[in-house]
Amino acid sequence: APPSGPGTQEGVVFEIRFEIEARCLEQVGDEIKMLSMGIQTQEGCNEIAPEEYMLELKAQLTDPSSALFYREDLDMLRKTSAERSFSFFRVMHFCSKEPLWEYGAIAATEEECPFDTVKVTALALIASTVGVMLLFTLFSQVAHEFGSCSFLAKTRALDLLTPLLALYTTGADYAWLAMLKLNGAHPIHDTVFMALVCHLLIAFCINAVSLRITITTHILDTPWWRRNRRRLRLILFLSCLTPRFFRITRANIFGVDQTHIHFGTPSKMAVVFSNLGLVVLAQDIPQLLAKFYIWLIWRNQSPKLTFVCFFLAGQSIATAALHHVFSRSQRAAYERVVKLLGVRRLTAGFFDVSAGVGQPTGAAALEGMRRADNGAVGTHLALPGGGGGGDMAASEEYLDPSKLDPIQAAMYVSQMYEREARAAALEDEDDDGEDGSEEDEDEEDEGDDGGGGGGSREGEGEG
C-alpha cells in the first residue's frame, strides 16, 4: 500500500514471512532415536530460527555490495530500503494441538488454531452413528407400547451398529494408507505403504475364505439362503473386507428379509458370528502395530487419521473379545438348560434374550406356564447344592418365579413336569388300588352269599 503524508515518497509496503518445516520443530527424545533404529526423521533440518533469518536479511539489505541487489529474480527485494523497513516483526504461533486441530497451521495465537476438517469429519461420523443407534435402541424398547411401531421392537440395534463400526475401521485403514503415500514424509514410508497394502490383500483373501467356509458349513442349506443368495452380493463383498459386517444379516431391520437370518438356535448363531468376527483380528492387529510405529517415530508427521484409526482398531479388538466371551457363556448356559431338561435341543426362541422384548415379564410371564401348584405365583424350587455330582439339595427354598434367572427358570419348569409326572403316577396307582379293592369286595360279597345259603339248607335238613 502506498504511504501517505507530507514528505513521503510513493512506494509499496509488503510483508515477508519466514517458516520452518513442521518436522524440524518436533522435539525428538532419546528413546525415540533408539526406537527409530537409525532413521533420521529430521534429516536436512538446521537449528536456525526464523528471527535469525530476518536479521540476516536486514544485514544483507544494509550492505550496498550485497548479492541481493544483483539478482534479477529478486526485483522487489532489490528496491527495498533497509532504513525504512524492519520497523516491526511478529512471532507467529505454530499449531501442534491434538487431536482435532490442524497440525502445522500458522496462527497469531494458540486460540486461533483452526480445526482439521478431516479429523472433525471422521469423528463426527462415528459419534453420529453411535448416537443414532443409541436413540434407536431406546425407541425400540418402547416400540411395543405402540401398535403401529411394534415391528421395531425386534430390531437388534447392536447387530446394526457393530457392522457399521467394522466397516468404518476398514475404511479408515485404506484412507490412512492413502494419506501415508501422499504425505511423503520419509522414503521409508513408501516401503511401509507397500507392505501394508500386501497385508490388506492377504487379509481380504483370508476373510473371503472364512466367509465361504461359514456359509458352506452352516447357512448353505437354509431356506433363508435359498431366498436371498442372489440379493446378498453387496453384503458378501463388504463382509470380505471385514467379516464382522456379515453380522448385519442378524439385525432384523424392518421387513428386509436379508437381515432376518436363521440357521439354528440363538446361542449357535452367536458362536458362529463370534468365530467369524475373530478373523478380523488378523487384519486389525498388524495394521494397528504399523500405525503405532509410524506415529511413535514421526508423531504429527503421520497421517491425520492416526488417532481415529487407533480408536476404531481398539474398538474392533475389544468387540471381538466381548463377542467371543458372551457367545461362549450363552452357549454354555444353553447346554446346561438342555442337559437339565433332558432333551436333545430346544426351539430357536427358547433361550434368546432378545425374544422377550415386548413380551410380558415377571409374574405375568408365568401365567401361560404349566404348573403343578394350581397356579400359585410362588413355589418351592430345589436348587443345586454345594455337594459333588450335581445332586439336588435336600432342602427347598421358597422362591418367587418372577425373580429367577434363565437357569433357575428352566429348573423350575423341569421340576413342575416332574411333579406332574409323579402326581399322574400316583393317580394311576390309586386307580389300580381302587379297582383291586372293588374286586375283593365283590368276592367277599359272593362268599357271604354262599355261606348264608348253606346255613339255610342245614337248618332245613335239621328240621
Side-chain angles (χ1 to χ4, degrees), residues 5-32:
T8 59
Q9 298 179 359
E10 294 183 358
V12 178
V13 178
F14 59 91
E15 295 182 355
I16 298 178
R17 184 166 65 179
F18 293 92
E19 297 180 3
I20 299 179
E21 293 184 51
R23 64 185 181 90
C24 298
L25 296 176
E26 287 284 349
Q27 300 293 330
V28 181
D30 295 335
E31 66 279 0
I32 301 301

Side-chain angles (χ1 to χ4, degrees), residues 276-335:
L276 191 61
L278 289 176
V279 181
V280 183
L281 298 180
Q283 174 178 324
D284 290 339
I285 294 179
Q287 292 286 325
L288 177 60
L289 294 177
K291 293 181 179 66
F292 180 76
Y293 180 77
I294 294 295
W295 173 82
L296 186 64
I297 303 302
W298 281 272
R299 295 291 172 157
N300 288 315
Q301 290 300 301
S302 60
K304 297 180 178 181
L305 290 177
T306 299
F307 285 99
V308 177
C309 292
F310 285 168
F311 169 75
L312 290 174
Q315 172 272 140
S316 179
I317 295 173
T319 300
L322 291 175
H323 282 172
H324 177 76
V325 172
F326 290 153
S327 63
R328 292 306 185 276
S329 62
Q330 184 178 1
R331 187 63 180 176
Y334 169 82
E335 292 175 353

Side-chain angles (χ1 to χ4, degrees), residues 375-401:
V377 176
T379 185
H380 287 57
L381 176 64
L383 298 176
D391 296 335
M392 304 299 289
S395 62
E396 293 185 347
E397 182 182 0
Y398 186 79
L399 297 175
D400 183 2

Side-chain angles (χ1 to χ4, degrees), residues 118-154:
V118 176
K119 299 176 182 178
V120 172
T121 302
L123 292 177
L125 177 62
I126 297 172
S128 61
T129 302
V130 174
V132 169
M133 290 299 104
L134 289 177
L135 292 177
F136 189 80
T137 302
L138 295 176
F139 186 74
S140 62
Q141 295 296 324
V142 298
H144 64 276
E145 300 292 342
F146 306 95
S148 58
C149 301
S150 59
F151 63 94
L152 295 176
K154 296 182 178 180

Side-chain angles (χ1 to χ4, degrees), residues 159-232:
D159 286 330
L160 181 59
L161 176 62
T162 302
L164 293 179
L165 291 180
L167 192 61
Y168 291 168
T169 304
T170 303
D173 289 340
Y174 284 95
W176 187 89
L177 283 178
M179 291 181 180
L180 182 69
K181 180 66 175 178
L182 294 176
N183 287 350
H186 195 275
I188 198 175
H189 286 188
D190 295 335
T191 304
V192 175
F193 171 80
M194 292 302 300
L196 293 182
V197 167
C198 293
H199 171 258
L200 286 179
L201 178 60
I202 295 174
F204 181 87
C205 297
I206 294 176
N207 297 341
V209 172
S210 302
L211 182 63
R212 180 175 178 83
I213 292 175
T214 301
I215 293 176
T216 304
T217 306
H218 303 284
I219 306 175
L220 192 62
D221 296 331
T222 62
W224 176 87
W225 174 260
R226 290 192 290 269
R227 291 194 309 267
N228 300 288
R229 60 181 180 178
R230 299 184 182 276
R231 295 179 289 178
L232 293 173

